[in-house]
Amino acid sequence: MYIEKKDNLAYCRWDIFKQYEEVTAAFSTRKGGFSPKPYDTLNLGFTTADVPDNVAHNRAHFFKTLSIPEINTAKMSQVHSDNIFIAEEAGHLGTGDGIITDTIDVFPTGIFADCAPVVVFEPQQKIAGLFHAGWRGLTCGTVKKGVEKIYRTYGAEPCNLLIGIGPHIKSCCFEIEKDVADIFDRKFIITGSDNNLHLRIEDVIINQLCSVGVLEKNIERNDYCTSCNNELFFSHRRSKGKTGRMMAVIGIIS
């Protein structure tokens, strides 16, 4: 992943999609918007206590910079579920945590502030997808079920999928209670020097993806911890809930 800067914005791109001109995918940072503290500055989340006009202004700036018409975005209300939408057209699709599409110029989006964005591109059939992966979503298999739905809907083999994982809270900062740790295989849990338990979300995501046929070589990991990198990213945990939201977007362009 690399940082791209344009029109005063800084946003993340995945290397794995670089060679494909027909797909655009990005993950916003907190830089380049219009919101005041503690939502400074590029807050893209309407679910925060930020002034809605600020968020609308930020979103318009973000999508204009990416050359994506905001009217062409597909949105959802995220609740840590395994509900995956098929987007045949843009708009608000309902309550869920994943969107897949083979429709040109429809761009799935998701909002994040510690959970992991997982974006998917299938280059042969031109399929795009986006999943919201927090620990609750991983317990119900959001990402895994999303890949399975791509196969059932479009017949696209999981081994042909290219996947980028975006910035999220890493095990260095993601302390969990024992009841949560007990849900996951111990190989995904780190015990700190003070005996606190930490979860490696990215490794859980990759394990679930590979379990349904995705090739590990086709998955781009991410080195950014949203909690550690205060200058670049919002973090719900670091800020105790009073913070902005980043956005992930992907789609096939005409």
Side-chain angles (χ1 to χ4, degrees), residues 36-219:
K37 293 181 179 180
Y39 310 105
D40 50 322
T41 57
L42 190 67
N43 173 31
L44 300 176
F46 281 113
T47 57
T48 67
D50 193 4
V51 176
D53 283 349
N54 291 340
V55 180
H57 195 181
N58 290 337
R59 286 191 175 203
H61 186 38
F62 179 62
F63 289 120
K64 182 179 179 181
T65 299
L66 295 177
S67 298
I68 293 173
E70 188 171 358
I71 196 172
N72 288 7
T73 59
K75 302 172 283 290
M76 56 190 168
S77 298
Q78 297 160 204
V79 291
H80 305 284
S81 69
D82 61 356
N83 189 31
I84 311 296
F85 296 103
I86 300 169
E88 296 180 344
E89 58 185 21
H92 190 273
L93 305 178
T95 299
D97 289 270
I99 302 172
I100 61 175
T101 187
D102 67 346
T103 304
I104 303 298
D105 290 331
V106 168
F107 299 89
T109 63
I111 295 296
F112 301 86
D114 274 336
C115 294
V118 180
V119 292
V120 181
F121 172 56
E122 202 281 341
Q124 297 180 17
Q125 295 180 235
K126 314 304 182 192
I127 300 161
L130 181 149
F131 310 118
H132 169 239
W135 73 262
R136 290 180 181 86
L138 291 173
T139 63
C140 61
T142 305
V143 174
K144 179 168 60 176
K145 291 176 181 177
V147 169
E148 291 172 336
K149 191 158 188 173
I150 288 174
Y151 175 72
R152 291 196 310 272
T153 305
Y154 307 113
E157 295 290 346
C159 62
N160 293 329
L161 301 181
L162 304 177
I163 294 178
I165 301 173
H168 59 279
I169 191 168
K170 294 283 193 170
S171 58
C172 52
C173 298
F174 193 25
E175 183 179 330
I176 56 174
E177 299 297 331
K178 185 178 182 302
D179 60 334
V180 175
D182 288 343
I183 300 172
F184 295 94
D185 191 302
R186 294 298 299 181
K187 67 184 178 182
F188 302 123
I189 307 298
I190 295 174
T191 303
S193 57
D194 53 3
N195 290 322
N196 290 335
L197 304 173
H198 298 253
L199 178 64
R200 302 202 312 258
I201 284 183
E202 188 170 64
D203 288 349
V204 179
I205 292 170
I206 292 172
N207 180 263
Q208 290 193 4
L209 289 170
C210 292
S211 75
V212 289
V214 176
L215 303 180
E216 188 165 357
K217 68 177 184 178
N218 289 344
I219 304 171

Side-chain angles (χ1 to χ4, degrees), residues 113-114 169 173-176 227 235-241:
D114 274 336
I169 191 168
C173 298
F174 193 25
E175 183 179 330
I176 56 174
S227 182
S235 168
H236 187 273
R237 176 164 292 212
R238 183 189 64 233
S239 302
K240 298 179 172 57

